[in-house]
Amino acid sequence: MSMDKIVALCKRRGFLFPSSEIYGGLNGFWDYGPLGVELKRNVKEAWWKDMVAAHDELSQLEGAPSPFQMVGLDCSIIMHPQVWKCSGHYDLFHDFMVDCRESKKRYRHDQVRGRWLEGKGQKVFVATQVGGEEGLKETETKALKFLGMRSKQAGELVWASELVSLTTVKDFAAVIAPDAATLGTLTEPREFNLMFKTFVGALSGEEGAAFLRPETAQGIFVNFKNVVDSTRVKTPFGIAQVGKSFRNEITPRNFTFRSREFEQMEIEFFCHPKESAQWYQWWRDRRYRWYTNLGLNPQRLILREHLPEELSHYSCGTADIEYGFPFLPPGEFGELEGIAHRADFDLRSHQEGKLVKDAENNLIVEQGEDGKPRHKGSGKDLQYFDDRVRERYWPHVIEPSAGADRGTLAFLCEAFAEETLEGGEMRTVMRLHPRLAPVKAAIFPLVNRDAMPEKAQELYRSLKADFAVQYDDGGAIGRRYRRQDEAGTPVCLTIDGQTLTDQTVTWRDRDSQQQVRVPLGEVESKLRTLLKPTSA
Ligand code: GAP
């Protein structure tokens, strides 16, 4: 799989374009084209349907500790600034960056890596932004240039380490930065808050300052009481939200993988503290299955439990679902979704004020120098009375938090294939799961005469209200198949001479390319079967 080919197909066929491209684009921002918008909507709709709309609250799903309820929310992107102070984002949501005085480029400290090189009596750290074979090659080229050697002398270089992170380097005077030619041009790491700041109304000072949300989760926590008071939900229950989030990433890269504007699909699942460990396990496994049910290959998809030192300030257990994207070196994986056990951190923070852990690892309200809470909570009672057990408590939270754009990118990468057909012709095919495919069926008249177009248009119109179907009468039939293969359309239906006599069409399967004859009256039910969700 080549990432360049996938990116080229996305542009050529209208899945994805760089944002504001005619002005040179804007790093970290992307636009979905006519096929891409349908694909991403299908990803979000599959998620919403499987997790919320079609959830059966009367039955106990396989392996789940009990039945549960699910409801949805759609919150504003700009919220009261105190939300981000109590959530911890104001103080803690930063990455460390380093600047290069020579190239004027900025890097995320933990994303720069390099190799130690010994030569001419000195030890230098040759840095790069890429990993794997490419990183080894790049550091070799840079080292040769730095030492004034020729490429055929590469074997004489004495490497003192493998590729390691810049975070392991203490002496920055020994570093050749990724885009520099001289030593010691990187500044010491500095904190950089990732939230986009804006100003609400006519106030341009700190008084009017607010932030674009960096996650959708907090809108759910601050509405917890509204949802409990306005519906009949009882623990265990989940609140789901899909929406835009914004992070001023230092180095957006890898196509849409790390963007500055992206969409999240998040669930905050509220349960009794004693049941939370079981729910955590169940949600991890269920969310993993969701991706494999929609076509991701388990050989490229891992469920990775975080080490204690990796856990976020709020989490007492997190697992990531990670995919082996083609832009990563073999053996490396990129996060699609995190499933976190957040305990009662969020509800307590929004009630009492920003929390920190004390020496015994207990959550306490962080105090300022004046002895008052550093960031004051709402003071609203966010506890829940559980009449099952006649107890009052802050529910514990399990949070499956997925990225809609990363999921979409993984499905695109997984789907991409190039094949040589009988006769030597090449075809590019996007093997998207039928539920995700932007077009579900393409309808062709074999030729533009003998009443075939009229019959094909009749079929198109009969399906269009319920299915995303496309009509195509342009060019040879083989070319029309190729166009639909690249768009990922699972079925092509051709009206031919036989249709006019026996009311059957050819049903051509994208992946096997096999054609069977199907009665016109059965097309709709066959399409419905194809698009039926697998239970997750
Ligand atoms: N509420 C928890 C939370 O936001 P996260 O791991 O920071 O957790 C969840 O984000 C998901 O959002 C990630 O697994 C990823 O899919 C997506 N995501 C995060 N940052 C992103 C970015 N810069 N570009 C695209 N997707 C991103």
Side-chain angles (χ1 to χ4, degrees), residues 93 214-217 247 249 256-264 266 268 314 320 335-338 342 399 401-407:
F93 194 56
E215 62 172 22
T216 58
R247 297 183 188 177
E249 297 284 355
T256 58
F257 181 81
R258 192 173 302 287
S259 310
R260 289 178 165 142
E261 175 177 341
F262 55 94
E263 269 185 283
Q264 291 185 308
E266 298 201 291
E268 306 304 326
Y314 53 74
D320 283 345
E335 177 187 329
L336 295 184
E337 170 161 350
R342 301 177 69 117
E399 179 196 62
S401 170
D405 305 84
R406 285 201 189 164

Side-chain angles (χ1 to χ4, degrees), residues 192-205:
F192 175 79
N193 194 297
L194 300 181
M195 284 196 293
F196 276 101
K197 199 172 187 178
T198 186
F199 297 93
V200 175
L203 302 166
S204 59

Side-chain angles (χ1 to χ4, degrees), residues 191-342:
E191 280 179 13
F192 175 79
N193 194 297
L194 300 181
M195 284 196 293
F196 276 101
K197 199 172 187 178
T198 186
F199 297 93
V200 175
L203 302 166
S204 59
E206 278 311 298
E207 249 181 294
F211 301 95
L212 304 193
R213 66 179 178 203
E215 62 172 22
T216 58
Q218 297 303 322
I220 300 181
F221 295 124
V222 300
N223 275 295
F224 171 75
K225 194 171 154 43
N226 282 336
V227 173
V228 170
D229 291 349
S230 62
T231 66
R232 300 181 63 232
V233 288
K234 292 189 187 316
T235 56
F237 70 90
I239 307 180
Q241 174 163 217
V242 177
K244 291 254 177 172
S245 292
F246 300 82
R247 297 183 188 177
N248 200 1
E249 297 284 355
I250 298 170
T251 46
R253 59 183 175 161
N254 291 333
F255 208 16
T256 58
F257 181 81
R258 192 173 302 287
S259 310
R260 289 178 165 142
E261 175 177 341
F262 55 94
E263 269 185 283
Q264 291 185 308
M265 311 184 288
E266 298 201 291
I267 297 170
E268 306 304 326
F269 185 79
F270 300 92
C271 59
H272 190 286
K274 288 201 181 119
E275 295 165 359
S276 58
Q278 262 182 298
W279 281 113
Y280 169 64
Q281 293 295 327
W282 183 76
W283 274 107
R284 276 178 17 152
D285 300 345
R286 181 187 194 203
R287 291 300 307 147
Y288 181 91
R289 281 198 305 275
W290 188 77
Y291 292 99
T292 53
N293 284 346
L294 284 171
L296 293 192
N297 183 340
Q299 288 181 340
R300 281 189 278 273
L301 194 69
I302 58 166
L303 184 59
R304 186 181 69 82
E305 196 70 46
H306 279 208
L307 301 169
E309 59 270 26
E310 275 183 277
L311 295 177
S312 314
H313 61 285
Y314 53 74
S315 174
C316 47
T318 297
D320 283 345
I321 299 173
E322 299 179 342
Y323 181 71
F325 284 99
F327 51 74
L328 295 171
E332 286 191 23
F333 296 83
E335 177 187 329
L336 295 184
E337 170 161 350
I339 300 98
H341 186 319
R342 301 177 69 117

Side-chain angles (χ1 to χ4, degrees), residues 121-184:
Q122 63 180 152
K123 215 174 155 191
V124 294
F125 185 80
V126 189
T128 170
Q129 284 207 84
V130 284
E133 281 302 315
E134 221 184 309
L136 295 177
K137 190 85 212 114
E138 194 176 297
T139 45
E140 183 181 283
T141 311
K142 284 190 69 178
L144 290 168
K145 199 161 170 201
F146 177 72
L147 296 172
M149 293 161 71
R150 281 193 292 228
S151 47
K152 63 179 178 198
Q153 293 175 284
E156 295 167 31
L157 293 172
V158 184
W159 293 106
S161 78
E162 290 299 309
L163 281 176
V164 292
S165 170
L166 180 67
T167 54
T168 61
V169 176
K170 299 274 172 298
D171 177 14
F172 274 32
V175 176
I176 313 174
D179 299 282
T182 51
L183 270 178

